[in-house]
Amino acid sequence: KEQAEQDFEYADEETSNMLQAAIEKNSFLSLEAFTTLLEGQMIFFERCSEYLKELKPHLATYREAVEQRRKDFEEKQALREMKRLKEKQRREQLKKLTATGKTIFGVNLEDIHTRDKRLIPQVIEQAINYIRTHLLEVEGLFRISPSKTLLEDLKEQIDKGK
């Protein structure tokens, strides 16, 4: 019985020693893994820092490019808005002219015929007579269309009676 107790105590002590050694080993391995992780992070952040230092001299150039793009965008937006407002004004003016019975463009030909008592609108007759008188010998007269802006301006002037 005494021998069995001694064997049991020895086994208990042996198990405790092995358990203590395993705990110390795991503690060491955990600490080693943590240290390796920290070293990896240090290397990563050092490289990031070096990269950022390389980019720093270019930062002002990037900011200038961003500001230029912002200005370009704002200018384009302002031009679009001006165009939109001009077109809106033109449509409103056309509505007014149509209401007063003066407009030519955007009105049904039958309505112009009824209003003016003419088979062909006067402006068309004037254009035909001008071409016959001054431009009959001009080659390629109708090959190239005018710009949309010029055409809109001319239509507006004609509608205003100018």
Side-chain angles (χ1 to χ4, degrees):
K1 180 178 170 184
E2 248 178 68
Q3 184 62 36
E5 282 181 15
Q6 283 178 349
D7 287 344
F8 183 73
E9 282 179 27
Y10 176 75
D12 185 37
E13 192 176 310
E14 183 75 23
T15 302
S16 289
N17 288 339
M18 286 175 55
L19 193 54
Q20 186 63 33
I23 290 171
E24 288 174 7
K25 183 177 180 185
N26 281 337
S27 175
F28 163 79
L29 291 175
S30 296
L31 187 58
E32 182 180 46
F34 182 70
T35 304
T36 302
L37 175 69
L38 284 178
E39 286 172 343
Q41 287 181 339
M42 282 180 54
I43 291 169
F44 171 77
F45 286 112
E46 284 172 356
R47 288 182 181 163
C48 287
S49 175
E50 290 169 10
Y51 178 68
L52 291 174
K53 285 176 186 175
E54 290 174 14
L55 289 179
K56 190 174 183 177
H58 304 288
L59 187 58
T61 306
Y62 297 151
R63 286 203 188 282
E64 289 172 8
V66 167
E67 284 305 311
Q68 186 60 48
R69 285 188 182 184
R70 182 187 322 276
K71 285 178 186 176
D72 292 347
F73 172 77
E74 289 170 354
E75 286 174 7
K76 285 180 183 177
Q77 286 294 95
L79 287 173
R80 284 186 195 118
E81 183 63 15
M82 285 173 44
K83 260 184 168 177
R84 188 188 67 76
L85 289 174
K86 187 176 180 181
E87 181 61 25
K88 183 179 177 184
Q89 288 172 339
R90 192 191 67 72
R91 282 193 308 264
E92 287 172 0
Q93 195 171 29
L94 181 61
K95 273 185 188 178
K96 288 177 187 175
L97 289 171
T98 305
T100 61
K102 295 179 185 175
T103 190
I104 303 287
F105 297 98
V107 178
N108 189 316
L109 278 175
E110 290 176 5
D111 295 339
I112 293 174
H113 174 67
T114 304
R115 179 187 72 200
D116 297 345
K117 309 289 187 243
R118 300 176 66 96
L119 185 58
I120 299 173
Q122 184 178 359
V123 70
I124 302 299
E125 283 183 11
Q126 290 171 340
I128 291 170
N129 289 334
Y130 186 85
I131 291 170
R132 281 184 183 156
T133 306
H134 299 95
L135 303 173
L136 205 53
E137 300 298 320
V138 175
E139 190 174 320
L141 180 64
F142 295 106
R143 273 193 254 165
I144 299 174
S145 298
S147 71
K148 184 178 178 182
T149 306
L150 176 62
L151 192 58
E152 291 297 324
D153 289 344
L154 289 172
K155 287 163 68 172
E156 188 174 316
Q157 288 177 16
I158 291 168
D159 280 340
K160 288 180 178 178
K162 294 182 181 178

